[in-house]
Amino acid sequence: TSHPGFEALDCDSVKSYVAARPALAKHVGPPDGRDSWTVEEVGDGNINFVYILEGPAGALCVKQALPFVRVVGESWPLTQDRVRIEAEALAAEATHCPQHVPALYSYDARMCVIAMQYLALPHIIVRKGLIEGRIYPLLAPHLAAFLAGTLFHTSLLALPSDEFRSNIARFTNVDMCRLTEQVIFTDPYHPAQHNWHTTPQLDGDVAALRADVAARVAASQLKAKFTQQHQALLHGDLHTGSIMATGSTTYVIDPEFAYYGPMAFDVAKILANLLLAFFSVDGHASAADPRSEQRRWLLACVRELWGGFAARFTQLWDEHGHKGDVCAAELFHGSSREGTAARQEAQGQFLAELWRDAVGFMGAVMVRRIVGIAHVADMESIADDNVRAVCERRALCFGRKLLVQGSGVASAEQLTEEAEAERADGQQPCFPL
Amino acid sequence: TSHPGFEALDCDSVKSYVAARPALAKHVGPPDGRDSWTVEEVGDGNINFVYILEGPAGALCVKQALPFVRVVGESWPLTQDRVRIEAEALAAEATHCPQHVPALYSYDARMCVIAMQYLALPHIIVRKGLIEGRIYPLLAPHLAAFLAGTLFHTSLLALPSDEFRSNIARFTNVDMCRLTEQVIFTDPYHPAQHNWHTTPQLDGDVAALRADVAARVAASQLKAKFTQQHQALLHGDLHTGSIMATGSTTYVIDPEFAYYGPMAFDVAKILANLLLAFFSVDGHASAADPRSEQRRWLLACVRELWGGFAARFTQLWDEHGHKGDVCAAELFHGSSREGTAARQEAQGQFLAELWRDAVGFMGAVMVRRIVGIAHVADMESIADDNVRAVCERRALCFGRKLLVQGSGVASAEQLTEEAEAERADGQQPCFPL
Ligand SMILES: Nc1ncnc2c1ncn2[C@@H]1O[C@H](COP(=O)(O)OP(=O)(O)O)[C@@H](O)[C@H]1O
Ligand SMILES: Nc1ncnc2c1ncn2[C@@H]1O[C@H](COP(=O)(O)OP(=O)(O)O)[C@@H](O)[C@H]1O
Ligand SMILES: [Mg+2]
Ligand SMILES: [Mg+2]
Ligand SMILES: [Mg+2]
Ligand SMILES: [Mg+2]
Ligand SMILES: [Mg+2]
């Protein structure tokens, strides 16, 4: 099932791999000095192997995909075409937003290897920073720019429909999408094999979720939207574990789930992960370190991210919307009063619908991180089961509410107010039992 | 720009073409008797050439695509890949609904030729029958079955997502979709080159339409849906000119615009054409032949078509929905009460959304047939300009209303009531001038 000529690398062979390729070796050091290079496998993700090579000239990041899911093993095969997708997506993102993605140095189809810019310390994964209590003052504006740039410029608002349709074909990512469909939109709602939750504390909540008709229906509608609405090139896995940042820089990594899907999904995934972080803060707080500033900032970050995204997206539309086929230049970009009025009306309706869909997707993403196969370290790192269960229950209740009553949450302000309220009174099981 | 080895046929060479192919010749007669065969070119469509061959054994229909639009000529090039699409769509439709499509005998990629079952007289094009004053008592149930069968079985309600996604790729029909995007969703709303209308009678109405911000916005939203929602294999051009029928049989022909798009588009295109026929009836009526039965029947047909479609679609979902990935079997098709309740809830919401989208698409289709490049014979065959203008104005007003206030029309009953009302009072220009 693996590519012909494919070989799995290890910390030794990855050195030879790089040393044999001058365009890569130059980032590390002269190949004949490779004995002095250090190599570390840092893949803390669930899926792939990531090597960091360091030498006299600097450092390099090498990522390899094996033909299966790393944490599960050969029993869960997974297409290696995901590396091609990741390479093409990194390249596409770099044209629209170079300051927020690592530079791609090479893609090797035979070996399923990407070599890319090493993001040096103090860059760390944002999820880790959040668990440590950090605040990222520029995270919201940077992610707003990343999302607006990548989503706008790959959509039919910016592209003619022939180019748009050929992009859809190029970014067809069947297996990775199927994985998302299963783990986000299906399995959390029935007792699937790999599901787990904090037990016995959440047993009742989970049972109630699995009996909840409205939640099932909403999840299946979102799944249909995820699968059928081909609107823009998504990152596809934009959680806080796919972002490396410092106080002043932000990089988005790991777009192996990229495909043409609904913009709302990318927007929602990152907002949902910020909300999960918010609900986890009480589990990390102590008298000495009450973390109230971080908790307030997380909600501000949600508002700012959405607000910044909406503003930047609208600006790109004003400036470049005449290039795309959805809002034909003749109708929306002339100097006529009607053209401008039509564009503003279309923008308002577009963003309202995007928000509505995003609220639903946020709910689904939150729910699955509490009761599905893959949980978040923000919660898992809370050692005390009872404390964690309280945080998780709030997140689960809030997620379920967004999922089912999504369109009742009309703005980012209302969203964060309701999250505050959930935290204040969310000690009880959230479903009627 | 044409395929290598391609040659345009004519009434002579099409005989040799068929005579050289035993699998085709057998439908006409022994090849050595071909001098006695008759050939007629019957392509009354705008785009392709269609030959009917008749001989001692029977008859055969041969359709050929040239690398341009027939009515315009070489100055409007058009992909010949449309014949491949037509052949694959005919085959797909035949698996789901064999009784309502002509049998496909062969597809010749080099010559861009399809040979298919000849639909003998008394089969005629439904649009012609309607202009003559006919009623088709089985048209609604037959089209309901065709639409429910083809749309359901090619959707993610019936297919796993990997097969679904590979279908989308196979039915990528970029150029034909671009044509639709332009002639239905863009050009009617600005003074595009090939637009025309009954002048001077409708000048004011057309000017008002072109100043109408809400109409532009609605049309661009529908265009986005047309281009981005990949929901099922559509026929793509399902008007009354793509249907051949008798009082007891109904065949859908000409799926060269087939692609994966929103189900609502197919449903809307046929309903809109029935409504256009309805508004044209007064132009064909006379004291001797008031056509009031036909007029009433046309609205009944609209209601019956939608009702029959919704019922049959729901039944297919009940019976086959467990095969698809949208409503996972584990959640929607178990014997549990929740599973059944969830499915019924999902079906209700699905059909409500489909109807809402269909109302908007109907509006766009009606508008473009009055003010765009391609009009309908139902109206064009009304000789008196003033009489035709009255009929057209009603259709234009009604179409514009559906386009802009679509979601206010909650049911097929309400739709047909409002059409009646428009006919009763629709003598005035419909837009504020
Ligand atoms: N360009 C990079 N620079 C530095 N570290 C990186 C880089 N890319 C990945 N990493 C590290 O490797 C880890 C796993 O990478 P990731 O691309 O997320 O793999 P996976 O697909 O398995 O989730 C990241 O969490 C991060 O710590
Ligand atoms: N299978 C058939 N049997 C009999 N007549 C047919 C058949 N297919 C097409 N025709 C006739 O040829 C005309 C044009 O065919 P159509 O497929 O609609 O071509 P176009 O793509 O140019 O619109 C139809 O209106 C109909 O009169
Ligand atoms: Mg990762
Ligand atoms: Mg990954
Ligand atoms: Mg035709
Ligand atoms: Mg045709
Ligand atoms: Mg009126």
Side-chain angles (χ1 to χ4, degrees):
Chain A
T1 60
S2 73
H3 292 203
F6 171 81
E7 279 169 67
L9 295 171
D10 59 27
C11 286
D12 237 30
S13 57
V14 74
K15 271 198 201 181
S16 318
Y17 181 91
V18 170
R21 290 164 172 81
L24 301 184
K26 76 173 186 213
H27 296 284
V28 189
D32 52 12
R34 73 203 223 200
D35 289 347
S36 73
W37 299 358
T38 62
V39 181
E40 200 185 349
E41 203 284 308
V42 298
D44 59 349
N46 299 321
I47 301 188
N48 301 293
F49 290 81
V50 177
Y51 302 91
I52 310 296
L53 291 86
E54 299 204 57
L60 178 71
C61 177
V62 172
K63 180 170 179 177
Q64 185 177 44
L66 269 55
F68 50 79
V69 176
R70 177 179 184 161
V71 284
V72 181
E74 310 210 4
S75 68
W76 191 327
L78 194 61
T79 174
Q80 289 175 300
D81 189 44
R82 66 189 192 263
V83 196
R84 176 188 67 80
I85 294 279
E86 179 160 345
E88 296 203 31
L90 279 174
E93 290 165 356
T95 41
H96 307 305
C97 219
Q99 68 278 37
H100 296 306
V101 286
L104 174 69
Y105 299 143
S106 70
Y107 160 56
D108 177 343
R110 181 176 62 83
M111 289 287 279
C112 306
V113 161
I114 281 174
M116 66 184 130
Q117 178 187 358
Y118 170 62
L119 302 170
L121 282 170
H123 286 99
I124 59 168
I125 290 286
V126 165
R127 195 187 299 286
K128 286 189 194 147
L130 296 179
I131 293 169
E132 290 170 8
R134 275 176 218 263
I135 282 172
Y136 292 93
L138 295 180
L139 188 68
H142 287 170
L143 290 177
F146 174 81
L147 283 167
T150 57
L151 298 179
F152 178 83
H153 285 296
T154 60
S155 80
L156 210 47
L157 290 163
L159 296 176
S161 72
D162 44 2
E163 194 178 332
F164 177 81
R165 285 201 169 83
S166 85
N167 280 355
I168 292 178
R170 189 155 61 94
F171 284 104
T172 298
N173 198 357
V174 176
D175 289 13
M176 302 305 273
C177 286
R178 279 180 73 79
L179 195 59
T180 301
E181 287 155 31
Q182 182 184 340
V183 301
I184 299 192
F185 300 110
T186 308
D187 284 355
Y189 304 93
H190 73 108
Q193 192 190 346
H194 298 288
N195 286 345
W196 57 282
H197 62 265
T198 299
T199 185
Q201 288 84 348
L202 297 187
D203 288 358
D205 304 83
V206 171
L209 176 70
R210 305 236 158 101
D212 186 345
V213 166
R216 271 180 215 205
V217 171
S220 83
Q221 286 169 344
L222 291 165
K223 191 205 281 185
K225 195 157 287 206
F226 175 85
T227 313
Q228 294 171 12
Q229 191 182 13
H230 296 174
Q231 191 179 31
L233 179 62
L234 306 192
H235 177 281
D237 197 22
L238 191 57
H239 54 78
T240 49
S242 298
I243 304 165
M244 299 188 74
T246 66
S248 57
T249 50
T250 306
Y251 290 89
V252 174
I253 63 169
D254 196 14
E256 65 185 331
F257 283 85
Y259 82 111
Y260 261 74
M263 297 184 187
F265 184 73
D266 259 11
V267 172
K269 208 169 201 189
I270 183 58
L271 293 179
N273 274 271
L274 292 169
L275 290 169
L276 285 162
F278 166 78
F279 285 112
S280 80
V281 169
D282 286 318
H284 300 291
S286 62
D289 177 16
R291 294 205 179 191
S292 28
E293 195 197 343
Q294 191 201 24
R295 214 179 48 229
R296 272 194 302 274
W297 169 76
L298 278 162
L299 294 188
C301 186
V302 165
R303 289 189 297 269
E304 252 192 84
L305 208 170
W306 171 257
F309 166 79
R312 177 70 184 142
F313 194 91
T314 304
Q315 187 192 353
L316 290 172
W317 189 333
D318 287 341
E319 290 169 6
H320 302 282
H322 61 280
K323 299 176 193 161
D325 263 350
V326 155
C327 286
E330 300 88 328
L331 295 169
F332 289 86
H333 294 273
S335 55
S336 74
R337 244 184 326 132
E338 287 89 3
T340 306
R343 189 171 71 247
Q344 287 168 351
E345 178 67 24
Q347 289 168 339
Q349 292 193 23
F350 185 94
L351 287 168
E353 185 179 337
L354 180 46
W355 174 257
R356 214 162 36 238
D357 291 345
V359 172
F361 281 126
M362 273 185 247
V365 168
M366 293 183 74
V367 165
R368 77 97 164 202
R369 291 295 197 176
I370 308 297
V371 308
I373 178 176
H375 290 219
V376 286
D378 317 58
M379 295 292 185
E380 292 316 304
S381 59
I382 302 170
D384 185 300
D385 280 7
N386 288 318
V387 174
R388 187 174 65 254
V390 167
C391 295
E392 289 183 318
R393 178 176 292 129
R394 291 170 181 163
L396 179 61
C397 292
F398 194 64
R400 188 258 178 199
K401 185 165 153 183
L402 299 185
L403 175 66
V404 172
Q405 298 161 21
S407 52
V409 181
S411 67
E413 287 66 31
Q414 190 186 338
L415 176 75
T416 54
E417 272 165 34
E418 296 200 8
E420 270 295 11
E422 186 68 53
R423 174 177 169 260
D425 70 7
Q427 310 281 337
Q428 300 306 312
C430 51
F431 308 110
L433 288 175
Chain B
T1 61
S2 73
H3 292 204
F6 170 81
E7 280 169 66
L9 294 171
D10 59 28
C11 285
D12 236 30
S13 57
V14 73
K15 270 198 200 182
S16 317
Y17 181 91
V18 170
R21 291 165 172 80
L24 300 185
K26 75 171 185 214
H27 296 285
V28 189
D32 51 13
R34 73 200 220 201
D35 288 346
S36 74
W37 298 357
T38 63
V39 180
E40 199 185 348
E41 204 283 310
V42 298
D44 60 348
N46 300 321
I47 302 190
N48 302 293
F49 291 80
V50 177
Y51 302 91
I52 309 297
L53 292 86
E54 298 204 60
L60 178 70
C61 177
V62 172
K63 179 170 180 177
Q64 185 177 45
L66 268 56
F68 50 79
V69 176
R70 176 179 184 161
V71 284
V72 181
E74 309 212 5
S75 68
W76 191 328
L78 194 62
T79 173
Q80 290 175 302
D81 190 44
R82 65 190 193 263
V83 197
R84 176 188 67 82
I85 294 278
E86 179 160 347
E88 296 204 31
L90 279 175
E93 290 164 356
T95 43
H96 307 306
C97 219
Q99 68 278 37
H100 296 306
V101 285
L104 174 69
Y105 298 144
S106 70
Y107 159 57
D108 178 343
R110 181 175 63 83
M111 289 286 280
C112 305
V113 161
I114 282 174
M116 67 184 130
Q117 178 188 358
Y118 169 62
L119 302 170
L121 284 170
H123 286 98
I124 60 168
I125 289 286
V126 165
R127 195 187 299 284
K128 288 189 193 147
L130 295 178
I131 293 169
E132 291 170 7
R134 273 174 221 267
I135 282 172
Y136 292 94
L138 295 179
L139 188 69
H142 286 170
L143 291 177
F146 174 81
L147 283 166
T150 57
L151 298 180
F152 178 84
H153 286 296
T154 60
S155 81
L156 209 47
L157 289 163
L159 296 175
S161 72
D162 43 4
E163 195 178 331
F164 176 80
R165 285 200 169 84
S166 83
N167 280 357
I168 291 177
R170 189 156 62 93
F171 284 103
T172 298
N173 198 358
V174 176
D175 290 12
M176 301 305 275
C177 286
R178 280 179 72 80
L179 196 58
T180 302
E181 287 154 30
Q182 182 185 340
V183 301
I184 299 191
F185 300 111
T186 307
D187 285 354
Y189 303 93
H190 73 109
Q193 191 191 348
H194 298 288
N195 286 344
W196 57 282
H197 62 265
T198 299
T199 185
Q201 288 84 347
L202 297 187
D203 287 358
D205 304 84
V206 171
L209 176 70
R210 303 235 159 101
D212 186 346
V213 167
R216 271 180 214 206
V217 172
S220 84
Q221 287 169 346
L222 290 165
K223 191 206 279 183
K225 195 158 288 208
F226 175 85
T227 314
Q228 294 172 13
Q229 190 182 13
H230 297 174
Q231 191 180 30
L233 179 62
L234 306 191
H235 177 280
D237 197 23
L238 192 57
H239 54 78
T240 48
S242 298
I243 305 165
M244 298 188 74
T246 66
S248 57
T249 51
T250 307
Y251 290 88
V252 174
I253 63 169
D254 196 13
E256 65 185 332
F257 284 84
Y259 82 110
Y260 261 73
M263 296 183 187
F265 183 74
D266 260 10
V267 173
K269 207 169 201 188
I270 183 58
L271 293 179
N273 274 271
L274 292 169
L275 290 168
L276 285 162
F278 166 78
F279 285 113
S280 80
V281 169
D282 285 319
H284 300 289
S286 62
D289 177 16
R291 293 206 181 191
S292 30
E293 195 197 344
Q294 192 201 26
R295 214 179 47 229
R296 271 194 303 274
W297 169 76
L298 278 162
L299 294 188
C301 187
V302 165
R303 289 188 297 269
E304 251 193 85
L305 207 170
W306 171 257
F309 166 78
R312 177 69 183 144
F313 194 90
T314 304
Q315 186 192 356
L316 289 172
W317 189 334
D318 287 341
E319 290 169 6
H320 302 282
H322 62 280
K323 298 175 192 160
D325 263 350
V326 155
C327 285
E330 301 89 326
L331 295 169
F332 289 85
H333 294 272
S335 55
S336 73
R337 243 184 328 129
E338 288 88 2
T340 307
R343 189 172 70 248
Q344 288 168 350
E345 178 67 24
Q347 288 167 340
Q349 293 193 23
F350 185 94
L351 287 169
E353 186 179 336
L354 182 46
W355 173 258
R356 215 164 34 240
D357 291 345
V359 172
F361 281 125
M362 272 184 248
V365 168
M366 293 182 73
V367 165
R368 78 96 163 200
R369 290 295 195 176
I370 308 299
V371 308
I373 178 176
H375 291 217
V376 287
D378 318 59
M379 295 293 185
E380 292 316 304
S381 58
I382 302 171
D384 184 301
D385 280 6
N386 288 319
V387 173
R388 188 174 65 252
V390 168
C391 295
E392 289 183 317
R393 178 176 292 129
R394 290 170 182 164
L396 178 62
C397 290
F398 194 64
R400 189 260 178 195
K401 184 164 155 184
L402 299 185
L403 175 66
V404 171
Q405 300 160 21
S407 53
V409 181
S411 67
E413 286 68 30
Q414 190 186 338
L415 176 75
T416 53
E417 272 164 33
E418 296 200 6
E420 270 294 10
E422 186 68 53
R423 174 177 170 261
D425 71 9
Q427 309 282 339
Q428 301 306 313
C430 52
F431 307 109
L433 287 176

